[in-house]
């Protein structure tokens, strides 16, 4: 086995390894199921993918301004929906396509939790911002995971 030290490091860090690309799904509507298309492309080596996981996440950031320029910021990430595909072996240069089925619940929101966590500060003003992110992670045996992510709009 002539695998050199740098090859081992590259493999562990997934340099030259598999890449995941997402197709942005367009605007999501609350209460509606939707599908996510993801493509994984093999790198220079054969890699064993233990599973692929698609997640819709809600990132909620609340910033509170109190007296004396106090500021408290709290970010919460809530997993709203998840789907996964079983493992497989990815050949060098091979491309595989996956479709994941996710659902956006009508009432999905993280704001309440963030507000509760911030409730202690003497409030003058609170700003809260929500952003939605879709990510697909390929878990690779013996290597760093690789993932693709896109921001999505929710109406």
């Amino acid at each position: 086995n002539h695998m050199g030290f740098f090859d081992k490091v590259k493999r562990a860090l997934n340099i030259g390894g598999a890449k995941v690309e997402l197709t942005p799904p367009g605007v999501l509507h609350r209460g509606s199921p939707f599908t996510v298309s993801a493509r994984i492309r093999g790198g220079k080596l054969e890699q064993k993918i233990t599973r692929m996981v698609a997640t819709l996440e809600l990132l909620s950031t609340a910033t509170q301004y109190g007296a004396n320029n106090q500021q408290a910021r709290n970010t919460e990430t809530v997993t709203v929906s998840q789907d996964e595909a079983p493992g497989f072996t990815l050949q060098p240069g091979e491309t595989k396509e996956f479709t994941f089925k996710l659902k956006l619940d009508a009432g999905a929101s993280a704001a309440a939790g963030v507000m509760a966590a911030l409730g202690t500060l003497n409030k003058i003003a609170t700003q809260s911002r929500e952003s939605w992110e879709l990510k697909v992670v390929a878990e690779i045996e013996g290597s760093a995971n690789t993932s693709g992510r896109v921001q999505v709009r929710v109406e």
Side-chain angles (χ1 to χ4, degrees):
N1 183 358
H2 294 301
M3 190 188 248
F5 173 72
F6 287 110
D7 288 334
K8 283 197 180 108
V9 170
K10 273 189 192 165
R11 179 179 280 254
L13 297 176
N14 195 38
I15 293 169
K19 296 257 182 300
V20 175
E21 288 165 15
L22 294 193
T23 307
V27 177
L28 304 183
H29 298 282
R30 288 177 185 276
S32 304
F34 63 97
T35 57
V36 181
S37 302
R39 177 185 300 135
I40 185 166
R41 184 174 291 136
K44 300 187 173 80
L45 311 159
E46 177 183 292
Q47 287 178 304
K48 190 168 180 342
I49 311 296
T50 48
R51 63 176 188 156
M52 304 250 309
V53 184
T55 310
L56 175 65
E57 286 181 343
L58 170 56
L59 282 63
S60 188
T61 306
T63 308
Q64 277 190 348
Y65 305 93
N68 309 322
N69 293 327
Q70 275 177 295
Q71 238 191 64
R73 172 172 287 174
N74 190 18
T75 302
E76 249 178 56
T77 303
V78 176
T79 296
V80 176
S81 185
Q82 211 164 38
D83 189 22
E84 61 179 72
F88 56 92
T89 299
L90 186 65
Q91 302 301 327
E94 181 187 15
T95 298
K96 281 184 180 289
E97 303 255 355
F98 291 87
T99 302
F100 297 98
K101 290 183 169 57
L102 297 173
K103 186 171 182 344
L104 175 54
D105 289 330
S109 170
V114 172
M115 292 305 166
L118 281 172
T120 52
L121 189 69
N122 178 12
K123 295 194 266 310
I124 289 179
T126 303
Q127 288 180 334
S128 127
R129 220 178 63 234
E130 286 189 350
S131 60
W132 297 82
E133 216 171 69
L134 204 49
K135 73 176 183 197
V136 174
V137 178
E139 296 177 3
I140 306 172
E141 196 172 90
S143 173
N145 294 344
T146 180
S147 63
R149 58 180 63 219
V150 288
Q151 292 242 327
V152 286
R153 266 194 30 237
V154 169
E155 286 178 357

